[in-house]
Amino acid sequence: TIFGFMKPLEDCVKPLGDAVRIGLRVGDMTHAASCCNIYLLFRFFSGQHLSYLATALPKLNADMKEFNLTRTLVVIEAFQSMVSILTGKTPCVSFAGTEDHLTYQTGDIVNQLINFGQLFIAYLFGDLEVALGLSSMAVNLGSFREVLGGTIFPYICEFYRSMTQMSILHLQPCKKGLSMVKKSIKVLRSGRKKSPGNLSHHVCLLEAEYAFAQRNFDSAERLYLEAIHHATGVIHEYALGCERLGWFYIQRANRESAQEQLEKARLLYLKWGAKAKAEHLEKKYSQQITKGKKG
């Protein structure tokens, strides 16, 4: 249940929250801190409305302060920043120059959790240079699989690292880069065998990006649609699938379908609570979304 291979991530949130409280109550601070770190990941990436996490964070922060769990407080602060950026309460800032802070001031699992979150935000807001740098940091800081082995998150991290790579490859094609993405697809496929309910949409979406780069446009469209179908229970990745399909239709000069998918993505990001991301999408694709809204 906790590791989320067989059940949806959302179903793992409550057991993890209970585990944090039990650890604090019985005085097992290591258990409480570890479960808190994983709880934050599950709650954030489960697709639940961001307000649920925003509400939980102050209580977690107070609990960790009471027991002087300083490393977990750093992780909580990072998730507070991510939620604030997505909801528009604070501006989206670049994470460039954070490497020294992550490497020398906090422990390895804290490094990885913060790095993963910053990579996600940088990719989502199109800061590809920073996202690529954070992807490299993830490798330099050690294997995410070793840090969170036994959980689903090494696969999700691999997905966002590879989506960042694909976004760059669409602008600057490179055979070596495509070869690296192809290896990542194999990794994600192996994860899908363990957790088809949680990882199928990641595999399909990355395969769609790869197929587009290979100019297999029919396959790419089919894979984008499959990704959207599989992601319907995870709202932010459902939105991402629609966003990427909208981008695909722009490249294929299918304006009507592009408008439909991008407006759908905008509404889904709003439903997730990510007002800033919805506004970012509207600015990036102002012509398509504005026309779609008027229509």
Side-chain angles (χ1 to χ4, degrees):
T1 299
I2 289 176
F3 290 157
F5 279 107
M6 302 308 297
K7 293 189 176 183
L9 298 186
E10 185 175 2
D11 290 353
C12 304
V13 172
K14 186 180 183 301
L16 279 165
D18 292 342
V20 175
R21 288 186 288 274
I22 291 169
L24 293 173
R25 188 170 66 243
V26 303
D28 189 342
M29 297 302 111
T30 300
H31 176 78
S34 177
C35 288
C36 182
N37 291 334
I38 307 302
Y39 166 85
L40 291 170
L41 279 174
F42 272 88
R43 173 128 259 179
F44 184 85
F45 283 99
S46 67
Q48 293 181 340
H49 196 281
L50 290 171
S51 62
Y52 295 137
L53 181 56
T55 300
L57 285 168
K59 178 63 166 64
L60 286 171
N61 189 69
D63 289 340
M64 298 303 143
K65 278 185 178 178
E66 180 181 352
F67 293 98
N68 199 32
L69 298 174
T70 55
R71 295 173 69 241
T72 303
L73 283 168
V74 174
V75 178
I76 292 171
E77 182 182 344
F79 275 90
Q80 286 175 322
S81 175
M82 290 162 57
V83 171
S84 293
I85 289 170
L86 285 164
T87 57
K89 292 182 179 179
T90 59
C92 183
V93 296
S94 173
F95 297 113
T98 60
E99 182 173 1
D100 290 341
H101 171 75
L102 291 178
T103 303
Y104 298 115
Q105 294 188 22
T106 56
D108 191 40
I109 189 168
V110 175
N111 283 326
Q112 293 286 12
L113 290 171
I114 296 174
N115 175 265
F116 180 26
Q118 291 181 347
L119 167 61
F120 171 79
I121 294 292
Y123 168 75
L124 205 64
F125 283 93
D127 196 343
L128 298 181
E129 183 177 351
V130 171
L132 186 62
L134 289 164
S135 297
S136 300
M137 281 176 60
V139 175
N140 293 336
L141 289 170
S143 172
F144 198 65
R145 190 176 301 277
E146 291 176 6
V147 174
L148 287 174
T151 78
I152 200 170
F153 289 101
Y155 297 106
I156 298 178
C157 184
E158 186 72 21
F159 168 74
Y160 283 106
R161 288 180 62 232
S162 298
M163 288 295 286
T164 297
Q165 184 70 41
M166 281 307 315
S167 293
I168 293 171
L169 289 169
H170 290 320
L171 300 172
Q172 301 173 345
C174 168
K175 288 184 178 180
K176 182 178 179 180
L178 283 173
S179 178
M180 292 172 63
V181 172
K182 190 174 182 179
K183 291 179 181 178
S184 293
I185 290 173
K186 290 181 180 179
V187 170
L188 286 169
R189 285 173 177 168
S190 70
R192 181 173 60 182
K193 291 178 182 178
K194 301 176 186 178
S195 186
N198 286 318
L199 291 171
S200 290
H201 60 281
H202 297 95
V203 176
C204 291
L205 191 50
L206 186 57
E207 286 179 335
E209 299 282 320
Y210 183 84
F212 180 88
Q214 297 284 75
R215 302 186 66 79
N216 295 327
F217 301 125
D218 289 343
S219 294
E221 183 178 22
R222 173 180 56 80
L223 287 162
Y224 280 122
L225 291 169
E226 285 185 23
I228 290 169
H229 170 74
H230 289 299
T232 51
V234 187
I235 193 165
H236 63 287
E237 288 172 339
Y238 183 13
L240 178 61
C242 294
E243 178 182 351
R244 294 309 300 161
L245 180 57
W247 172 87
F248 168 82
Y249 284 135
I250 290 173
Q251 311 311 308
R252 302 299 294 153
N254 187 339
R255 295 180 181 178
E256 184 176 347
S257 294
Q259 290 171 6
E260 178 185 354
Q261 292 301 322
L262 291 170
E263 174 61 8
K264 186 176 179 181
R266 186 186 72 86
L267 293 173
L268 285 166
Y269 283 126
L270 285 174
K271 189 175 180 181
W272 184 38
K275 179 182 177 183
K277 170 57 186 177
E279 291 174 349
H280 170 266
L281 194 70
E282 190 167 355
K283 289 178 182 177
K284 183 176 181 180
Y285 298 109
S286 58
Q287 185 175 4
Q288 290 82 8
I289 290 178
T290 301
K291 286 182 177 180
K293 289 167 72 175
K294 289 179 179 178

